[in-house]
Amino acid sequence: MKLNAIRDFLAVAERGSLRAAARQVGGSQPAMSRSIQELERELGVALFQRTAGGVRLTTMGEVFLLRASTVRDELRRAQEEIDQLRGETHGH
């Protein structure tokens, strides 16, 4: 599983739209759609229900959201710790 796929999943979950998520991460809507489809294929489940107004998380998507959010938070903490050890920041 690629970190970009997790980033894309989180952006779509937060924005409720592939187009808005693509704008957030600086990509295109087709690329975002492919990323989500690849992630769903890898997991073997649908993470989003597509609707006329955007997307909604499925039950499996809600479960994945909890874990994906944890991954993002842990990576952010790791980056902060490394920055602190290099003397670039002084904590939050």
Side-chain angles (χ1 to χ4, degrees), residues 6-29 32 72 76:
I6 294 171
R7 177 205 63 195
D8 293 347
F9 167 80
L10 289 167
V12 174
E14 291 167 358
R15 298 287 183 215
S17 156
L18 291 164
R19 181 172 284 130
R23 279 193 305 264
Q24 176 183 332
V25 302
S28 69
Q29 186 273 329
M32 181 66 64
R72 175 181 56 191
R76 191 175 295 143

Side-chain angles (χ1 to χ4, degrees), residues 50-64:
R50 278 75 173 165
T51 68
V55 296
R56 282 194 341 230
L57 287 168
T58 62
T59 301
M60 297 295 182
E62 290 174 6
V63 169
F64 190 71

